Amino acid sequence: MSSVHTASAAESAELAVVTRADVVESRHIGSAVLVSPEGEVITSLGAPQKPVFPRSTLKPLQAVAALRAGALISPEAVALACGSHVGSRQHQELAAQVLAKEGLDESYLKCPTALPARPQDLKVHFEAGKDKTALAFNCSGKHAAFLAACRTSGWRLATYAEVEHPLQKTVMEVLEEYCGEKPAAVGVDGCGAPAPAISLTGLARGIGKVAAALDYRNPRGREAEVHAFTVAQAMLDYPWAVQGRGEANTVVMEELGVLAKYGAEGVLVVAAPDGTAVAVKTLDGSHRANSLVGLSLLAAHGTIDVEALGPVLKKITPAITGGVTDAVVGSLRLSDSVTAVL
């Protein structure tokens, strides 16, 4: 990893600022890129050509690979495979169904155990007498799809998360094919699966190609395999499975009709059905500004209804509050460097 040059603070751009009493309190710096339906760079901020770990924003591409390798799963399960879910009972049950169909159970999952992420789901979980389980881990849908693919292909189950496994080689093939570049490095993700490092530009192109599969008028959409169409359509049809009802990615897909996927450490990718896509990375690892930046770039290009964007951002952007009444005392806004390119 020492030979891989990731973007430095000096190479990055100021993406958004937090103000309190009209004074800038915090600054989010990083990189962002907007690519056209043809995969050409339209807008570039910071150093999107430098490699990052996209983390879970790669899940739609990993789901394409699982389907290519033969995973026989429902559209809902495809959406779950693309998701970083909150571990609700519904998410856990869907992951368990994928495994049961293959004669497997949660003991085969190589992801860590976890508890549901939200208090309301945790209450239901404890009332059912449950403890930590791999089914509640946010990547359980992806891992269940991996196992389903291995069952179909006759590949070894115990090593499916290892980088030399045939399934992970298929993932790397899909990544290179869709993103147009080879990983600069491969680490280990939080879920235990391989974590490739690619540029934000490649990430936007890759997820944009998945989204473009929805539009066969688009040459890139015609190039994309049917599995990409299945993935994109499943995410839009079952957005609750991708994150959770009321959560940011789910709200964006429900109300704006674009693919949206967060990744750990401040990464976000959003892609319109015509293949226009944005990838954002904040260096501080925070997601606070990502939706504001990414969706604003898409809206400026005319791929999101501007009137619908405001209410959505209000729902999913953390308010800057103070006092026992949680009064709004500040704001999160785009930086001047971003507004200059809108």
Side-chain angles (χ1 to χ4, degrees):
M1 185 64 187
S2 60
S3 62
V4 177
H5 182 196
T6 58
S8 67
E11 295 170 305
S12 299
E14 185 178 84
L15 300 177
V17 297
V18 174
T19 62
R20 190 180 299 267
D22 295 326
V23 175
V24 173
E25 181 175 32
S26 300
R27 302 177 188 274
H28 291 289
I29 65 171
S31 299
V33 64
L34 170 71
V35 302
S36 71
E38 296 74 36
E40 299 298 322
V41 173
I42 300 172
T43 302
S44 175
L45 294 161
Q49 75 281 6
K50 298 294 176 64
V52 301
F53 285 107
R55 305 293 294 276
S56 286
T57 60
L58 289 179
K59 282 178 178 172
L61 294 168
Q62 291 168 321
V64 168
L67 294 173
R68 182 183 287 187
L72 302 174
I73 57 178
S74 69
E76 279 183 299
V78 171
L80 189 72
C82 296
S84 297
H85 61 75
V86 296
S88 71
R89 180 173 64 184
Q90 195 172 9
H91 291 111
Q92 292 182 53
E93 289 175 348
L94 182 53
Q97 289 168 14
V98 173
L99 296 171
K101 184 173 178 287
E102 303 297 337
L104 307 173
D105 60 30
E106 65 181 276
S107 68
Y108 286 84
L109 295 172
K110 296 300 180 184
C111 57
T113 59
L115 293 170
R118 303 186 299 190
Q120 64 267 37
D121 298 316
L122 189 60
K123 181 175 183 291
V124 172
H125 192 80
F126 283 150
E127 287 176 348
K130 296 180 179 180
D131 201 347
K132 285 187 174 182
T133 168
L135 294 171
F137 192 79
N138 70 87
C139 303
S140 66
K142 177 181 79 173
H143 282 251
F146 281 168
L147 284 165
C150 290
R151 272 297 211 203
T152 301
S153 295
W155 293 331
R156 190 179 179 195
L157 303 179
T159 58
Y160 75 84
E162 296 180 6
V163 69
E164 293 302 321
H165 191 280
L167 174 65
Q168 299 305 332
K169 289 183 178 181
T170 303
V171 171
M172 297 300 174
E173 289 170 2
V174 169
L175 191 68
E176 184 175 351
E177 178 183 327
Y178 277 68
C179 301
E181 61 185 70
K182 292 183 178 181
V186 180
V188 178
D189 213 328
C191 69
I198 61 171
S199 71
L200 284 178
T201 304
L203 173 64
R205 284 173 175 151
I207 302 300
K209 188 171 182 178
V210 172
L214 294 166
D215 182 6
Y216 284 98
R217 295 168 299 178
N218 184 335
R220 293 187 88 217
R222 291 195 295 271
E223 290 173 3
E225 60 194 303
V226 67
H227 303 314
F229 172 83
T230 300
V231 165
Q233 193 64 59
M235 291 178 73
L236 294 179
D237 286 346
Y238 303 99
W240 69 267
V242 178
Q243 190 171 14
R245 291 180 174 85
E247 301 295 325
N249 286 170
T250 296
V251 170
V252 168
M253 288 187 284
E254 286 175 338
E255 300 193 20
L256 297 178
V258 298
L259 305 187
K261 187 70 196 70
Y262 277 134
E265 297 300 323
V267 190
L268 171 70
V269 64
V270 285
D274 70 348
T276 307
V278 174
V280 183
K281 162 71 176 178
T282 49
L283 286 189
D284 62 3
S286 168
H287 288 112
R288 180 163 61 179
N290 287 25
S291 290
L292 173 63
V293 174
L295 293 174
S296 295
L297 287 171
L298 271 188
H301 194 60
T303 51
I304 291 179
D305 181 353
V306 176
E307 291 187 5
L309 179 58
V312 168
L313 286 174
K314 188 174 182 179
K315 287 182 181 180
I316 66 175
T317 302
I320 310 303
T321 61
V324 295
T325 61
D326 280 337
V328 175
V329 296
S331 68
L332 171 68
R333 63 170 175 80
L334 296 172
S335 70
D336 293 341
S337 60
V338 176
T339 56
V341 302
L342 296 182

PDB file of all heavy atoms in Angstrom, residues 141-164:
ATOM      1  N   GLY A 141     -26.381  -9.448   3.457  1.00  0.00           N
ATOM      2  CA  GLY A 141     -27.018  -9.723   2.173  1.00  0.00           C
ATOM      3  C   GLY A 141     -26.006 -10.004   1.080  1.00  0.00           C
ATOM      4  O   GLY A 141     -26.200 -10.909   0.258  1.00  0.00           O
ATOM      5  N   LYS A 142     -24.915  -9.246   1.073  1.00  0.00           N
ATOM      6  CA  LYS A 142     -23.851  -9.481   0.105  1.00  0.00           C
ATOM      7  C   LYS A 142     -23.225 -10.849   0.316  1.00  0.00           C
ATOM      8  O   LYS A 142     -23.001 -11.608  -0.641  1.00  0.00           O
ATOM      9  CB  LYS A 142     -22.785  -8.391   0.231  1.00  0.00           C
ATOM     10  CG  LYS A 142     -21.578  -8.579  -0.689  1.00  0.00           C
ATOM     11  CD  LYS A 142     -20.551  -7.482  -0.510  1.00  0.00           C
ATOM     12  CE  LYS A 142     -19.688  -7.695   0.712  1.00  0.00           C
ATOM     13  NZ  LYS A 142     -18.577  -6.716   0.792  1.00  0.00           N
ATOM     14  N   HIS A 143     -22.947 -11.182   1.550  1.00  0.00           N
ATOM     15  CA  HIS A 143     -22.313 -12.470   1.848  1.00  0.00           C
ATOM     16  C   HIS A 143     -23.249 -13.638   1.535  1.00  0.00           C
ATOM     17  O   HIS A 143     -22.796 -14.681   1.049  1.00  0.00           O
ATOM     18  CB  HIS A 143     -21.869 -12.503   3.310  1.00  0.00           C
ATOM     19  CG  HIS A 143     -20.596 -11.745   3.556  1.00  0.00           C
ATOM     20  ND1 HIS A 143     -19.401 -12.362   3.857  1.00  0.00           N
ATOM     21  CD2 HIS A 143     -20.332 -10.413   3.519  1.00  0.00           C
ATOM     22  CE1 HIS A 143     -18.453 -11.446   4.003  1.00  0.00           C
ATOM     23  NE2 HIS A 143     -19.003 -10.249   3.811  1.00  0.00           N
ATOM     24  N   ALA A 144     -24.539 -13.464   1.790  1.00  0.00           N
ATOM     25  CA  ALA A 144     -25.494 -14.515   1.450  1.00  0.00           C
ATOM     26  C   ALA A 144     -25.541 -14.739  -0.057  1.00  0.00           C
ATOM     27  O   ALA A 144     -25.603 -15.881  -0.534  1.00  0.00           O
ATOM     28  CB  ALA A 144     -26.879 -14.160   1.989  1.00  0.00           C
ATOM     29  N   ALA A 145     -25.490 -13.642  -0.834  1.00  0.00           N
ATOM     30  CA  ALA A 145     -25.473 -13.756  -2.295  1.00  0.00           C
ATOM     31  C   ALA A 145     -24.189 -14.428  -2.764  1.00  0.00           C
ATOM     32  O   ALA A 145     -24.205 -15.236  -3.711  1.00  0.00           O
ATOM     33  CB  ALA A 145     -25.614 -12.374  -2.929  1.00  0.00           C
ATOM     34  N   PHE A 146     -23.061 -14.117  -2.110  1.00  0.00           N
ATOM     35  CA  PHE A 146     -21.805 -14.779  -2.442  1.00  0.00           C
ATOM     36  C   PHE A 146     -21.935 -16.291  -2.258  1.00  0.00           C
ATOM     37  O   PHE A 146     -21.494 -17.077  -3.108  1.00  0.00           O
ATOM     38  CB  PHE A 146     -20.683 -14.262  -1.541  1.00  0.00           C
ATOM     39  CG  PHE A 146     -20.107 -12.919  -1.935  1.00  0.00           C
ATOM     40  CD1 PHE A 146     -19.260 -12.232  -1.071  1.00  0.00           C
ATOM     41  CD2 PHE A 146     -20.384 -12.335  -3.170  1.00  0.00           C
ATOM     42  CE1 PHE A 146     -18.704 -11.014  -1.424  1.00  0.00           C
ATOM     43  CE2 PHE A 146     -19.833 -11.112  -3.537  1.00  0.00           C
ATOM     44  CZ  PHE A 146     -18.989 -10.452  -2.651  1.00  0.00           C
ATOM     45  N   LEU A 147     -22.522 -16.693  -1.149  1.00  0.00           N
ATOM     46  CA  LEU A 147     -22.683 -18.126  -0.872  1.00  0.00           C
ATOM     47  C   LEU A 147     -23.618 -18.778  -1.885  1.00  0.00           C
ATOM     48  O   LEU A 147     -23.376 -19.919  -2.324  1.00  0.00           O
ATOM     49  CB  LEU A 147     -23.206 -18.333   0.549  1.00  0.00           C
ATOM     50  CG  LEU A 147     -22.158 -18.133   1.654  1.00  0.00           C
ATOM     51  CD1 LEU A 147     -22.848 -17.987   3.012  1.00  0.00           C
ATOM     52  CD2 LEU A 147     -21.180 -19.305   1.686  1.00  0.00           C
ATOM     53  N   ALA A 148     -24.681 -18.076  -2.262  1.00  0.00           N
ATOM     54  CA  ALA A 148     -25.605 -18.624  -3.261  1.00  0.00           C
ATOM     55  C   ALA A 148     -24.883 -18.841  -4.590  1.00  0.00           C
ATOM     56  O   ALA A 148     -25.100 -19.852  -5.277  1.00  0.00           O
ATOM     57  CB  ALA A 148     -26.800 -17.684  -3.446  1.00  0.00           C
ATOM     58  N   ALA A 149     -24.009 -17.901  -4.963  1.00  0.00           N
ATOM     59  CA  ALA A 149     -23.240 -18.047  -6.201  1.00  0.00           C
ATOM     60  C   ALA A 149     -22.302 -19.238  -6.118  1.00  0.00           C
ATOM     61  O   ALA A 149     -22.153 -20.004  -7.082  1.00  0.00           O
ATOM     62  CB  ALA A 149     -22.446 -16.772  -6.475  1.00  0.00           C
ATOM     63  N   CYS A 150     -21.671 -19.428  -4.973  1.00  0.00           N
ATOM     64  CA  CYS A 150     -20.750 -20.555  -4.802  1.00  0.00           C
ATOM     65  C   CYS A 150     -21.482 -21.878  -4.873  1.00  0.00           C
ATOM     66  O   CYS A 150     -20.955 -22.866  -5.414  1.00  0.00           O
ATOM     67  CB  CYS A 150     -20.012 -20.436  -3.465  1.00  0.00           C
ATOM     68  SG  CYS A 150     -18.827 -19.080  -3.408  1.00  0.00           S
ATOM     69  N   ARG A 151     -22.683 -21.928  -4.344  1.00  0.00           N
ATOM     70  CA  ARG A 151     -23.490 -23.151  -4.425  1.00  0.00           C
ATOM     71  C   ARG A 151     -23.762 -23.524  -5.885  1.00  0.00           C
ATOM     72  O   ARG A 151     -23.609 -24.672  -6.282  1.00  0.00           O
ATOM     73  CB  ARG A 151     -24.816 -22.958  -3.692  1.00  0.00           C
ATOM     74  CG  ARG A 151     -24.810 -23.277  -2.225  1.00  0.00           C
ATOM     75  CD  ARG A 151     -24.504 -24.727  -1.967  1.00  0.00           C
ATOM     76  NE  ARG A 151     -25.148 -25.209  -0.769  1.00  0.00           N
ATOM     77  CZ  ARG A 151     -24.743 -26.255  -0.070  1.00  0.00           C
ATOM     78  NH1 ARG A 151     -23.647 -26.915  -0.453  1.00  0.00           N
ATOM     79  NH2 ARG A 151     -25.388 -26.659   0.999  1.00  0.00           N
ATOM     80  N   THR A 152     -24.173 -22.549  -6.671  1.00  0.00           N
ATOM     81  CA  THR A 152     -24.488 -22.804  -8.072  1.00  0.00           C
ATOM     82  C   THR A 152     -23.254 -23.250  -8.855  1.00  0.00           C
ATOM     83  O   THR A 152     -23.316 -24.174  -9.675  1.00  0.00           O
ATOM     84  CB  THR A 152     -25.074 -21.541  -8.726  1.00  0.00           C
ATOM     85  OG1 THR A 152     -26.264 -21.158  -8.025  1.00  0.00           O
ATOM     86  CG2 THR A 152     -25.411 -21.787 -10.188  1.00  0.00           C
ATOM     87  N   SER A 153     -22.128 -22.590  -8.578  1.00  0.00           N
ATOM     88  CA  SER A 153     -20.905 -22.866  -9.341  1.00  0.00           C
ATOM     89  C   SER A 153     -20.104 -24.034  -8.788  1.00  0.00           C
ATOM     90  O   SER A 153     -19.101 -24.444  -9.403  1.00  0.00           O
ATOM     91  CB  SER A 153     -20.024 -21.604  -9.371  1.00  0.00           C
ATOM     92  OG  SER A 153     -20.665 -20.572 -10.081  1.00  0.00           O
ATOM     93  N   GLY A 154     -20.514 -24.551  -7.637  1.00  0.00           N
ATOM     94  CA  GLY A 154     -19.788 -25.673  -7.048  1.00  0.00           C
ATOM     95  C   GLY A 154     -18.458 -25.285  -6.439  1.00  0.00           C
ATOM     96  O   GLY A 154     -17.554 -26.109  -6.324  1.00  0.00           O
ATOM     97  N   TRP A 155     -18.338 -24.008  -6.055  1.00  0.00           N
ATOM     98  CA  TRP A 155     -17.097 -23.531  -5.458  1.00  0.00           C
ATOM     99  C   TRP A 155     -17.103 -23.758  -3.957  1.00  0.00           C
ATOM    100  O   TRP A 155     -18.178 -23.837  -3.328  1.00  0.00           O
ATOM    101  CB  TRP A 155     -16.907 -22.044  -5.743  1.00  0.00           C
ATOM    102  CG  TRP A 155     -16.665 -21.736  -7.190  1.00  0.00           C
ATOM    103  CD1 TRP A 155     -16.079 -22.541  -8.123  1.00  0.00           C
ATOM    104  CD2 TRP A 155     -17.016 -20.530  -7.883  1.00  0.00           C
ATOM    105  NE1 TRP A 155     -16.015 -21.916  -9.343  1.00  0.00           N
ATOM    106  CE2 TRP A 155     -16.583 -20.683  -9.227  1.00  0.00           C
ATOM    107  CE3 TRP A 155     -17.624 -19.344  -7.501  1.00  0.00           C
ATOM    108  CZ2 TRP A 155     -16.761 -19.687 -10.176  1.00  0.00           C
ATOM    109  CZ3 TRP A 155     -17.810 -18.341  -8.442  1.00  0.00           C
ATOM    110  CH2 TRP A 155     -17.384 -18.518  -9.774  1.00  0.00           C
ATOM    111  N   ARG A 156     -15.912 -23.806  -3.383  1.00  0.00           N
ATOM    112  CA  ARG A 156     -15.782 -24.044  -1.956  1.00  0.00           C
ATOM    113  C   ARG A 156     -16.431 -22.910  -1.158  1.00  0.00           C
ATOM    114  O   ARG A 156     -16.209 -21.734  -1.443  1.00  0.00           O
ATOM    115  CB  ARG A 156     -14.302 -24.172  -1.581  1.00  0.00           C
ATOM    116  CG  ARG A 156     -14.078 -24.661  -0.158  1.00  0.00           C
ATOM    117  CD  ARG A 156     -12.601 -24.800   0.148  1.00  0.00           C
ATOM    118  NE  ARG A 156     -12.416 -25.237   1.525  1.00  0.00           N
ATOM    119  CZ  ARG A 156     -11.274 -25.189   2.177  1.00  0.00           C
ATOM    120  NH1 ARG A 156     -10.189 -24.735   1.558  1.00  0.00           N
ATOM    121  NH2 ARG A 156     -11.189 -25.598   3.430  1.00  0.00           N
ATOM    122  N   LEU A 157     -17.219 -23.280  -0.158  1.00  0.00           N
ATOM    123  CA  LEU A 157     -17.938 -22.293   0.632  1.00  0.00           C
ATOM    124  C   LEU A 157     -17.064 -21.643   1.700  1.00  0.00           C
ATOM    125  O   LEU A 157     -17.178 -20.443   1.966  1.00  0.00           O
ATOM    126  CB  LEU A 157     -19.161 -22.928   1.304  1.00  0.00           C
ATOM    127  CG  LEU A 157     -20.190 -23.597   0.388  1.00  0.00           C
ATOM    128  CD1 LEU A 157     -21.320 -24.182   1.222  1.00  0.00           C
ATOM    129  CD2 LEU A 157     -20.737 -22.606  -0.631  1.00  0.00           C
ATOM    130  N   ALA A 158     -16.196 -22.401   2.308  1.00  0.00           N
ATOM    131  CA  ALA A 158     -15.446 -21.929   3.482  1.00  0.00           C
ATOM    132  C   ALA A 158     -14.483 -20.799   3.172  1.00  0.00           C
ATOM    133  O   ALA A 158     -14.110 -20.046   4.068  1.00  0.00           O
ATOM    134  CB  ALA A 158     -14.696 -23.094   4.119  1.00  0.00           C
ATOM    135  N   THR A 159     -14.091 -20.666   1.909  1.00  0.00           N
ATOM    136  CA  THR A 159     -13.073 -19.669   1.557  1.00  0.00           C
ATOM    137  C   THR A 159     -13.602 -18.601   0.602  1.00  0.00           C
ATOM    138  O   THR A 159     -12.817 -17.902  -0.038  1.00  0.00           O
ATOM    139  CB  THR A 159     -11.859 -20.362   0.915  1.00  0.00           C
ATOM    140  OG1 THR A 159     -12.298 -21.100  -0.248  1.00  0.00           O
ATOM    141  CG2 THR A 159     -11.188 -21.322   1.891  1.00  0.00           C
ATOM    142  N   TYR A 160     -14.921 -18.441   0.534  1.00  0.00           N
ATOM    143  CA  TYR A 160     -15.495 -17.545  -0.484  1.00  0.00           C
ATOM    144  C   TYR A 160     -15.045 -16.091  -0.326  1.00  0.00           C
ATOM    145  O   TYR A 160     -15.092 -15.307  -1.280  1.00  0.00           O
ATOM    146  CB  TYR A 160     -17.023 -17.623  -0.471  1.00  0.00           C
ATOM    147  CG  TYR A 160     -17.694 -16.911   0.691  1.00  0.00           C
ATOM    148  CD1 TYR A 160     -17.962 -15.545   0.659  1.00  0.00           C
ATOM    149  CD2 TYR A 160     -18.070 -17.612   1.833  1.00  0.00           C
ATOM    150  CE1 TYR A 160     -18.578 -14.899   1.719  1.00  0.00           C
ATOM    151  CE2 TYR A 160     -18.684 -16.976   2.899  1.00  0.00           C
ATOM    152  CZ  TYR A 160     -18.933 -15.618   2.833  1.00  0.00           C
ATOM    153  OH  TYR A 160     -19.537 -14.984   3.901  1.00  0.00           O
ATOM    154  N   ALA A 161     -14.615 -15.668   0.867  1.00  0.00           N
ATOM    155  CA  ALA A 161     -14.215 -14.285   1.097  1.00  0.00           C
ATOM    156  C   ALA A 161     -12.731 -14.035   0.854  1.00  0.00           C
ATOM    157  O   ALA A 161     -12.254 -12.905   1.004  1.00  0.00           O
ATOM    158  CB  ALA A 161     -14.572 -13.862   2.518  1.00  0.00           C
ATOM    159  N   GLU A 162     -11.993 -15.058   0.458  1.00  0.00           N
ATOM    160  CA  GLU A 162     -10.560 -14.902   0.228  1.00  0.00           C
ATOM    161  C   GLU A 162     -10.292 -14.409  -1.188  1.00  0.00           C
ATOM    162  O   GLU A 162     -10.974 -14.797  -2.135  1.00  0.00           O
ATOM    163  CB  GLU A 162      -9.838 -16.233   0.484  1.00  0.00           C
ATOM    164  CG  GLU A 162      -9.940 -16.680   1.940  1.00  0.00           C
ATOM    165  CD  GLU A 162      -9.230 -17.999   2.206  1.00  0.00           C
ATOM    166  OE1 GLU A 162      -8.553 -18.510   1.291  1.00  0.00           O
ATOM    167  OE2 GLU A 162      -9.365 -18.520   3.330  1.00  0.00           O
ATOM    168  N   VAL A 163      -9.282 -13.575  -1.325  1.00  0.00           N
ATOM    169  CA  VAL A 163      -9.041 -12.870  -2.580  1.00  0.00           C
ATOM    170  C   VAL A 163      -8.750 -13.816  -3.744  1.00  0.00           C
ATOM    171  O   VAL A 163      -9.042 -13.493  -4.909  1.00  0.00           O
ATOM    172  CB  VAL A 163      -7.893 -11.845  -2.403  1.00  0.00           C
ATOM    173  CG1 VAL A 163      -6.559 -12.536  -2.214  1.00  0.00           C
ATOM    174  CG2 VAL A 163      -7.857 -10.858  -3.568  1.00  0.00           C
ATOM    175  N   GLU A 164      -8.195 -15.006  -3.475  1.00  0.00           N
ATOM    176  CA  GLU A 164      -7.880 -15.952  -4.547  1.00  0.00           C
ATOM    177  C   GLU A 164      -9.037 -16.883  -4.886  1.00  0.00           C
ATOM    178  O   GLU A 164      -8.915 -17.713  -5.790  1.00  0.00           O
ATOM    179  CB  GLU A 164      -6.645 -16.785  -4.153  1.00  0.00           C
ATOM    180  CG  GLU A 164      -5.357 -15.977  -4.080  1.00  0.00           C
ATOM    181  CD  GLU A 164      -5.024 -15.286  -5.398  1.00  0.00           C
ATOM    182  OE1 GLU A 164      -5.231 -15.900  -6.465  1.00  0.00           O
ATOM    183  OE2 GLU A 164      -4.564 -14.130  -5.368  1.00  0.00           O
TER     184      GLU A 164
END
